mmCIF file of all heavy atoms in Angstrom:
data_model
loop_
_atom_site.group_PDB
_atom_site.id
_atom_site.type_symbol
_atom_site.label_atom_id
_atom_site.label_comp_id
_atom_site.label_asym_id
_atom_site.label_seq_id
_atom_site.Cartn_x
_atom_site.Cartn_y
_atom_site.Cartn_z
ATOM 1 N N LEU A 179 70.803 153.721 141.417
ATOM 2 C CA LEU A 179 70.088 154.472 140.373
ATOM 3 C C LEU A 179 68.681 153.869 140.143
ATOM 4 O O LEU A 179 68.471 152.735 140.410
ATOM 5 C CB LEU A 179 70.835 154.438 139.060
ATOM 6 C CG LEU A 179 72.254 154.924 139.064
ATOM 7 C CD1 LEU A 179 72.996 154.591 137.742
ATOM 8 C CD2 LEU A 179 72.369 156.396 139.344
ATOM 9 N N ALA A 180 67.811 154.694 139.567
ATOM 10 C CA ALA A 180 66.434 154.188 139.205
ATOM 11 C C ALA A 180 66.592 153.357 137.908
ATOM 12 O O ALA A 180 67.536 153.446 137.103
ATOM 13 C CB ALA A 180 65.621 155.379 138.840
ATOM 14 N N ALA A 181 65.655 152.344 137.808
ATOM 15 C CA ALA A 181 65.704 151.461 136.724
ATOM 16 C C ALA A 181 65.617 152.151 135.372
ATOM 17 O O ALA A 181 66.106 151.645 134.332
ATOM 18 C CB ALA A 181 64.518 150.392 136.814
ATOM 19 N N ASP A 182 64.944 153.385 135.344
ATOM 20 C CA ASP A 182 64.810 154.067 134.076
ATOM 21 C C ASP A 182 65.953 155.099 133.857
ATOM 22 O O ASP A 182 65.879 155.886 132.909
ATOM 23 C CB ASP A 182 63.445 154.791 134.053
ATOM 24 C CG ASP A 182 63.224 155.810 135.155
ATOM 25 O OD1 ASP A 182 64.117 155.923 136.033
ATOM 26 O OD2 ASP A 182 62.249 156.514 135.074
ATOM 27 N N HIS A 183 67.014 155.069 134.709
ATOM 28 C CA HIS A 183 68.118 155.895 134.488
ATOM 29 C C HIS A 183 68.710 155.688 133.086
ATOM 30 O O HIS A 183 68.899 154.546 132.728
ATOM 31 C CB HIS A 183 69.232 155.677 135.507
ATOM 32 C CG HIS A 183 70.397 156.626 135.496
ATOM 33 N ND1 HIS A 183 70.394 157.828 136.107
ATOM 34 C CD2 HIS A 183 71.530 156.560 134.738
ATOM 35 C CE1 HIS A 183 71.517 158.468 135.810
ATOM 36 N NE2 HIS A 183 72.238 157.665 135.026
ATOM 37 N N PRO A 184 68.856 156.685 132.257
ATOM 38 C CA PRO A 184 69.345 156.434 130.877
ATOM 39 C C PRO A 184 70.715 155.760 130.808
ATOM 40 O O PRO A 184 71.695 156.216 131.376
ATOM 41 C CB PRO A 184 69.482 157.844 130.284
ATOM 42 C CG PRO A 184 68.606 158.745 131.192
ATOM 43 C CD PRO A 184 68.684 158.124 132.520
ATOM 44 N N ALA A 185 70.721 154.608 130.099
ATOM 45 C CA ALA A 185 71.935 153.856 129.951
ATOM 46 C C ALA A 185 73.051 154.638 129.275
ATOM 47 O O ALA A 185 74.245 154.419 129.619
ATOM 48 C CB ALA A 185 71.702 152.567 129.279
ATOM 49 N N GLU A 186 72.703 155.524 128.379
ATOM 50 C CA GLU A 186 73.715 156.280 127.704
ATOM 51 C C GLU A 186 74.508 157.211 128.635
ATOM 52 O O GLU A 186 75.480 157.720 128.212
ATOM 53 C CB GLU A 186 73.104 157.100 126.437
ATOM 54 C CG GLU A 186 71.922 157.915 126.793
ATOM 55 C CD GLU A 186 70.603 157.178 126.728
ATOM 56 O OE1 GLU A 186 70.522 155.998 126.764
ATOM 57 O OE2 GLU A 186 69.605 157.899 126.599
ATOM 58 N N ARG A 187 74.052 157.444 129.845
ATOM 59 C CA ARG A 187 74.805 158.230 130.781
ATOM 60 C C ARG A 187 75.691 157.409 131.629
ATOM 61 O O ARG A 187 76.374 157.886 132.553
ATOM 62 C CB ARG A 187 73.821 158.929 131.792
ATOM 63 C CG ARG A 187 73.018 159.987 131.137
ATOM 64 C CD ARG A 187 72.315 160.819 132.155
ATOM 65 N NE ARG A 187 71.338 161.741 131.577
ATOM 66 C CZ ARG A 187 70.322 162.217 132.291
ATOM 67 N NH1 ARG A 187 70.180 161.978 133.589
ATOM 68 N NH2 ARG A 187 69.476 163.011 131.739
ATOM 69 N N LEU A 188 75.807 156.120 131.297
ATOM 70 C CA LEU A 188 76.625 155.178 132.090
ATOM 71 C C LEU A 188 77.765 154.580 131.216
ATOM 72 O O LEU A 188 77.701 154.692 129.941
ATOM 73 C CB LEU A 188 75.758 153.977 132.575
ATOM 74 C CG LEU A 188 74.624 154.302 133.415
ATOM 75 C CD1 LEU A 188 73.741 153.082 133.688
ATOM 76 C CD2 LEU A 188 75.046 154.910 134.751
ATOM 77 N N MET A 189 78.765 153.995 131.830
ATOM 78 C CA MET A 189 79.701 153.267 131.147
ATOM 79 C C MET A 189 79.488 151.803 131.595
ATOM 80 O O MET A 189 79.054 151.546 132.669
ATOM 81 C CB MET A 189 81.201 153.672 131.510
ATOM 82 C CG MET A 189 81.560 155.038 130.922
ATOM 83 S SD MET A 189 83.259 155.445 131.500
ATOM 84 C CE MET A 189 84.168 154.157 130.860
ATOM 85 N N ALA A 190 79.813 150.876 130.680
ATOM 86 C CA ALA A 190 79.662 149.486 131.011
ATOM 87 C C ALA A 190 80.824 148.604 130.477
ATOM 88 O O ALA A 190 81.364 148.937 129.462
ATOM 89 C CB ALA A 190 78.315 149.012 130.331
ATOM 90 N N ALA A 191 81.093 147.576 131.239
ATOM 91 C CA ALA A 191 82.142 146.631 130.815
ATOM 92 C C ALA A 191 81.533 145.265 131.166
ATOM 93 O O ALA A 191 80.923 145.010 132.148
ATOM 94 C CB ALA A 191 83.399 146.905 131.492
ATOM 95 N N ARG A 192 81.874 144.317 130.284
ATOM 96 C CA ARG A 192 81.553 142.915 130.577
ATOM 97 C C ARG A 192 82.801 142.076 130.800
ATOM 98 O O ARG A 192 83.862 142.433 130.341
ATOM 99 C CB ARG A 192 80.632 142.319 129.486
ATOM 100 C CG ARG A 192 81.356 142.095 128.205
ATOM 101 C CD ARG A 192 80.425 141.601 127.204
ATOM 102 N NE ARG A 192 80.958 141.588 125.859
ATOM 103 C CZ ARG A 192 80.286 141.505 124.737
ATOM 104 N NH1 ARG A 192 78.989 141.402 124.778
ATOM 105 N NH2 ARG A 192 80.870 141.556 123.578
ATOM 106 N N TYR A 193 82.599 141.000 131.469
ATOM 107 C CA TYR A 193 83.729 140.073 131.709
ATOM 108 C C TYR A 193 83.196 138.635 131.857
ATOM 109 O O TYR A 193 81.954 138.514 131.965
ATOM 110 C CB TYR A 193 84.480 140.444 133.009
ATOM 111 C CG TYR A 193 83.641 140.545 134.217
ATOM 112 C CD1 TYR A 193 83.471 139.399 135.024
ATOM 113 C CD2 TYR A 193 82.963 141.667 134.600
ATOM 114 C CE1 TYR A 193 82.696 139.447 136.147
ATOM 115 C CE2 TYR A 193 82.141 141.733 135.753
ATOM 116 C CZ TYR A 193 82.006 140.590 136.495
ATOM 117 O OH TYR A 193 81.192 140.605 137.585
ATOM 118 N N SER A 194 84.053 137.684 131.786
ATOM 119 C CA SER A 194 83.706 136.259 132.004
ATOM 120 C C SER A 194 84.400 135.840 133.261
ATOM 121 O O SER A 194 85.296 136.492 133.804
ATOM 122 C CB SER A 194 84.001 135.450 130.828
ATOM 123 O OG SER A 194 85.407 135.469 130.578
ATOM 124 N N VAL A 195 83.996 134.660 133.783
ATOM 125 C CA VAL A 195 84.657 134.108 134.980
ATOM 126 C C VAL A 195 84.890 132.599 134.701
ATOM 127 O O VAL A 195 84.263 131.919 133.967
ATOM 128 C CB VAL A 195 83.882 134.266 136.241
ATOM 129 C CG1 VAL A 195 83.543 135.708 136.614
ATOM 130 C CG2 VAL A 195 82.533 133.488 136.208
ATOM 131 N N ARG A 196 85.952 132.184 135.405
ATOM 132 C CA ARG A 196 86.187 130.688 135.626
ATOM 133 C C ARG A 196 85.834 130.564 137.076
ATOM 134 O O ARG A 196 86.281 131.286 137.916
ATOM 135 C CB ARG A 196 87.636 130.353 135.343
ATOM 136 C CG ARG A 196 87.917 130.476 133.831
ATOM 137 C CD ARG A 196 89.372 130.427 133.553
ATOM 138 N NE ARG A 196 90.215 129.597 134.300
ATOM 139 C CZ ARG A 196 91.496 129.859 134.451
ATOM 140 N NH1 ARG A 196 92.080 130.881 133.890
ATOM 141 N NH2 ARG A 196 92.306 129.112 135.241
#
Side-chain angles (χ1 to χ4, degrees):
L179 303 172
D182 63 353
H183 185 89
E186 53 272 19
R187 291 192 191 159
L188 304 172
M189 289 179 57
R192 66 179 171 201
Y193 57 89
S194 60
V195 300
R196 291 167 31 207

